[in-house]
Amino acid sequence: MSTLSATSAGPSTEAPEPWYLALLGFAEHFRTSSPPKIRLCVHCLQAVFQFKPPPRVEARTHLQLGSVLYRHTKNSELAQTHLEKAWFISQQISQFDDVKFEAASILSEFYCQQNLVDSAKPVLRKAIQISQQTPYWHCRLLFQLAQLHALEKDLVSACDLLGVGAEYARVMGSEYTRVLFLLSKGMLLLMERKLSEVHPLLTLCGTIVENWQGNPIQKESLRVFFLVLHVTHYLDAGQVKSVKPCLKQLQQCIQTISTLHDDEILPTNPAALFHWLPKEHMCVLVYLVTVMHSMQAGYLEKAQKYTDKALMQLEKLKMLDNSPILSMFQVILLEHIIMCRLVTGHKATALQEISQVCQLCQQSPRLFTNHAAQLHTLLGLYCISVNCMDNAEAQFTAALQMTTHQELWTFIVTNLASVYIREGNRHQELYSLLERINPDHNFPVRRFLRETLKMSNAEDLNRLTACSLVLLGHIFFVLGNHRESNNMVVPAMQLASKIPDMSVQLWSSALLKDLNKACGNTMDAHEAAQMHQNFSQQLLQDHIAACSLPEHNLISWTDGLPPVQLQPQNGPTTSLASLL
């Protein structure tokens, strides 16, 4: 609760008692002091019960006490007692909706935080059942129960509730809230890969949003939500080129929102009193989506630029607002930029950022549960980059045990296969793994690579194109087709320099050196050898720096929460031979 007030404390025909107003005034003074004096605030609210107040005052005071104890103390047992009493007493009182439904909402939130989800559900269901004549609370409680089901990965139940909410909002005459429910449902359907249901739903939402004449900020925020779903849907399918017009619209939309004032007139329809996200949060989200696009397209310097902007904005926001969504945005941004660092050959910086993700996850059990697999995957990628193959295998194995997400599973297994290939003596494990990745392997490898090159070219997937070119170039070189090899390796090198991708540059320069030497081009061979030497030196220096960091010890962590204290390393203990 934002303030401790006496609203609805007594019947509309009676003014609140002076003693009650005095105690409430003192409680609010102590709560808003700098720093807050929560113990004194609680004493003032508890003193209300000494006067044997009427049921309305009693219920509201239990709600205020429960809320203060829940938000500001670790006394969860007492907070639970007061919130349960507020919910129980308020149900017996007619025309007391705000206290009744706020008690249900906060009590359910409290139960979820205490991992008592099965206690939260019946409270929310009962509140939804009796709130149908109170549009604001009915919609808010539907959103809350849908979110609870979504967190439990029960997306079917969540979608059903959001569908109920959309129909209720339509009946209540709020197209805005109807679209909020529909877009939320669309987001979950995308997560479930139910694309045949997503497309008509997004089409309907797009039509409603364009035709809706209402509050400009609400309209633009709906458009941002709609476009974010469109862009992430495209990116999920790897359609980096096709998504550009949509991404541009999204960026223009967020610029429009930033020029609008928040002091617009509030909607008269109580069912429309919702915000999807504050516009500052939307701005960070658009940065995040832009980073995802830049990374997939292979514009890693652009990804870095937008990550820096987003993280700076997040730091400012987190000083004023401790919303869990901000930490989630921060973790996802760091996950993306860590992968960029590993590609561009900045392993030491990547390792320090992995440590930042660990610290964020230590502060939030839910964040750790949702990102543990990604964290172990990033550590596995780091281990490969510093040639710690045993640790890489252990990290990928840990990650596989923590995810059921199909794309992440495939990504992990593919990287685990690369570990087996590098180790050279793991043929049986490799073939077993490849069988799981792709049971139908009837096509020759060259066909696969040409198809990959064709697809990556069509969608401007620069890094995939560069990797395909250099691998094809290597194959042609081994086959003795030097001309065709050169036709592949030269553009691979150019593209890798543009990204920049240190591993592909290293590989391409080594190939160019051997290729020019085989063709008798002494000067070109010498130039390529010098380039290869420069890349090798950069990698060596970064390798030593990374392995000397205390955070390097994270490569041994495969179970439970990440370690808090990390001891310094004496120096690198791994070989660079396979990298160079």
Side-chain angles (χ1 to χ4, degrees):
M1 295 172 68
S2 54
T3 57
L4 303 174
S5 70
T7 309
S8 304
S12 56
T13 53
E14 297 177 16
E17 295 282 354
W19 57 264
Y20 176 62
L21 290 177
L23 285 171
L24 208 56
F26 279 124
E28 178 65 356
H29 168 73
F30 291 131
R31 190 186 72 85
T32 55
S33 297
S34 183
K37 299 174 182 175
I38 298 303
R39 190 170 59 84
L40 294 174
C41 170
V42 168
H43 281 325
C44 290
L45 291 171
Q46 285 173 329
V48 171
F49 299 123
Q50 303 298 318
F51 291 86
K52 296 190 168 42
R56 284 174 178 263
V57 172
E58 185 184 2
R60 180 174 283 278
T61 305
H62 278 304
L63 173 58
Q64 290 164 334
L65 265 168
S67 182
V68 167
L69 289 164
Y70 167 46
R71 307 275 190 220
H72 300 283
T73 76
K74 293 182 179 177
N75 195 338
S76 55
E77 196 173 321
L78 194 57
Q80 181 174 339
T81 300
H82 283 295
L83 289 170
E84 286 175 343
K85 284 183 178 176
W87 170 231
F88 176 77
I89 296 168
S90 62
Q91 286 179 77
Q92 324 302 319
I93 304 170
S94 60
Q95 296 182 334
F96 203 41
D97 291 344
D98 277 357
V99 168
K100 185 186 305 179
F101 299 127
E102 186 160 5
S105 179
I106 296 176
L107 178 58
S108 301
E109 187 186 318
F110 170 85
Y111 281 146
C112 288
Q113 195 199 54
Q114 300 295 312
N115 289 321
L116 300 169
V117 175
D118 289 338
S119 299
K121 287 176 188 173
V123 173
L124 286 172
R125 287 193 192 109
K126 177 68 184 294
I128 287 168
Q129 182 189 338
I130 61 177
S131 64
Q132 294 195 31
Q133 303 307 312
T134 315
Y136 167 74
W137 278 108
H138 191 65
C139 291
R140 180 169 158 177
L141 293 163
L142 281 167
F143 275 126
Q144 192 172 346
L145 184 54
Q147 183 184 32
L148 195 158
H149 282 301
L151 289 171
E152 284 197 306
K153 311 296 184 196
D154 180 4
L155 302 186
V156 173
S157 297
C159 283
D160 287 345
L161 282 162
L162 293 169
V164 168
E167 180 57 22
Y168 177 83
R170 187 191 68 78
V171 171
M172 289 292 111
S174 174
E175 289 293 271
Y176 167 75
T177 306
R178 180 190 177 197
V179 175
L180 269 186
F181 275 114
L182 289 173
L183 288 172
S184 301
K185 183 177 178 180
M187 181 171 64
L188 298 185
L189 290 171
L190 279 174
M191 289 166 65
E192 282 193 285
R193 298 289 182 272
K194 292 189 174 176
L195 302 185
S196 60
E197 294 179 49
V198 170
H199 294 145
L201 188 145
L202 287 180
T203 302
L204 171 64
C205 290
T207 304
I208 297 172
V209 171
E210 289 310 311
N211 294 333
W212 184 61
Q213 302 297 317
N215 181 314
I217 282 189
Q218 285 188 325
K219 179 163 183 160
E220 290 303 314
S221 71
L222 286 179
R223 191 176 276 135
V224 169
F225 194 174
F226 172 75
L227 289 169
V228 163
L229 291 187
H230 260 289
V231 171
T232 50
H233 179 35
Y234 274 115
L235 292 179
D236 206 33
Q239 294 178 311
V240 167
K241 187 176 182 179
S242 306
V243 78
K244 283 182 179 178
C246 208
L247 181 61
K248 192 171 182 181
Q249 280 185 57
L250 177 58
Q251 291 163 341
Q252 288 170 342
C253 201
I254 201 69
Q255 286 178 341
T256 303
I257 283 186
S258 63
T259 63
L260 296 172
H261 297 292
D262 288 327
D263 56 357
E264 300 284 348
I265 300 167
L266 282 174
T268 52
N269 188 336
L273 292 169
F274 293 95
H275 273 303
W276 172 51
L277 281 176
K279 66 182 181 183
E280 296 81 10
H281 293 199
M282 279 189 258
C283 185
V284 174
L285 180 57
V286 173
Y287 279 141
L288 173 54
V289 169
T290 306
V291 168
M292 291 166 67
H293 177 265
S294 300
M295 199 189 110
Q296 277 198 34
Y299 304 128
L300 301 194
E301 288 177 353
K302 189 176 178 184
Q304 172 67 60
K305 184 180 85 171
Y306 281 107
T307 299
D308 289 344
K309 285 186 175 184
L311 290 174
M312 200 181 300
Q313 179 88 345
L314 275 169
E315 287 304 320
K316 289 178 187 173
L317 290 173
K318 287 181 85 171
M319 289 178 193
L320 307 169
D321 177 6
N322 204 22
S323 171
I325 199 169
L326 296 178
S327 294
M328 186 186 75
F329 285 161
Q330 194 173 356
V331 165
I332 297 171
L333 278 162
L334 286 169
E335 286 171 352
H336 280 78
I337 204 60
I338 288 161
M339 288 189 279
C340 289
R341 306 273 195 214
L342 293 173
V343 171
T344 57
H346 297 94
K347 296 183 282 290
T349 309
L351 185 57
Q352 290 168 325
E353 286 164 340
I354 289 173
S355 181
Q356 282 184 51
V357 176
C358 289
Q359 289 167 24
L360 287 164
C361 287
Q362 281 167 350
Q363 295 162 19
S364 167
R366 181 180 291 168
L367 203 57
F368 179 67
T369 301
N370 291 336
H371 291 269
Q374 292 93 313
L375 192 44
H376 284 292
T377 303
L378 290 170
L379 278 168
L381 295 173
Y382 167 76
C383 291
I384 290 177
S385 76
V386 292
N387 200 28
C388 295
M389 294 303 162
D390 288 346
N391 297 99
E393 183 179 356
Q395 291 296 339
F396 290 138
T397 303
L400 284 173
Q401 293 167 354
M402 296 176 185
T403 188
T404 55
H405 191 278
Q406 184 59 44
E407 278 79 3
L408 181 57
W409 182 90
T410 305
F411 182 75
I412 296 165
V413 169
T414 308
N415 280 285
L416 185 54
S418 79
V419 171
Y420 291 154
I421 291 168
R422 284 165 182 250
E423 289 189 308
N425 59 351
R426 306 291 295 276
H427 302 301
Q428 194 52 52
E429 292 102 320
L430 176 62
Y431 293 138
S432 170
L433 211 54
L434 291 174
E435 190 69 37
R436 291 170 69 190
I437 298 170
N438 181 24
D440 181 18
H441 43 76
N442 299 323
F443 298 107
V445 173
R446 192 182 295 181
R447 168 80 183 276
F448 270 140
L449 281 172
R450 289 203 180 279
E451 284 300 310
T452 302
L453 198 52
K454 190 177 172 183
M455 287 190 295
S456 58
N457 256 330
E459 280 295 341
D460 288 349
L461 296 164
N462 290 333
R463 189 157 176 259
L464 191 55
T465 302
C467 290
S468 304
L469 284 169
V470 74
L471 184 51
L472 270 169
H474 198 128
I475 291 168
F476 285 126
F477 178 73
V478 171
L479 293 173
N481 189 341
H482 294 166
R483 184 179 175 184
E484 196 66 28
S485 177
N486 191 68
N487 289 342
M488 298 293 160
V489 178
V490 171
M493 187 59 154
Q494 291 168 344
L495 207 47
S497 304
K498 182 181 166 186
I499 292 170
D501 186 324
M502 185 63 81
S503 297
V504 175
Q505 283 177 299
L506 189 72
W507 190 357
S508 299
S509 59
L511 261 175
L512 281 171
K513 178 186 69 173
D514 294 342
L515 195 56
N516 283 303
K517 192 174 179 183
C519 295
N521 302 326
T522 311
M523 292 291 290
D524 290 341
H526 177 74
E527 187 183 334
Q530 189 59 53
M531 281 169 54
H532 187 264
Q533 178 66 17
N534 293 341
F535 292 137
S536 300
Q537 281 303 312
Q538 287 178 49
L539 278 171
L540 177 59
Q541 288 166 11
D542 187 53
H543 180 97
I544 293 168
C547 294
S548 302
L549 290 169
E551 291 88 348
H552 183 74
N553 281 311
L554 282 168
I555 68 173
S556 304
W557 161 66
T558 54
D559 189 39
L561 283 168
V564 180
Q565 295 294 331
L566 295 162
Q567 298 302 316
Q569 287 281 313
N570 294 323
T573 56
T574 58
S575 164
L576 263 184
S578 73
L579 293 175
L580 306 182

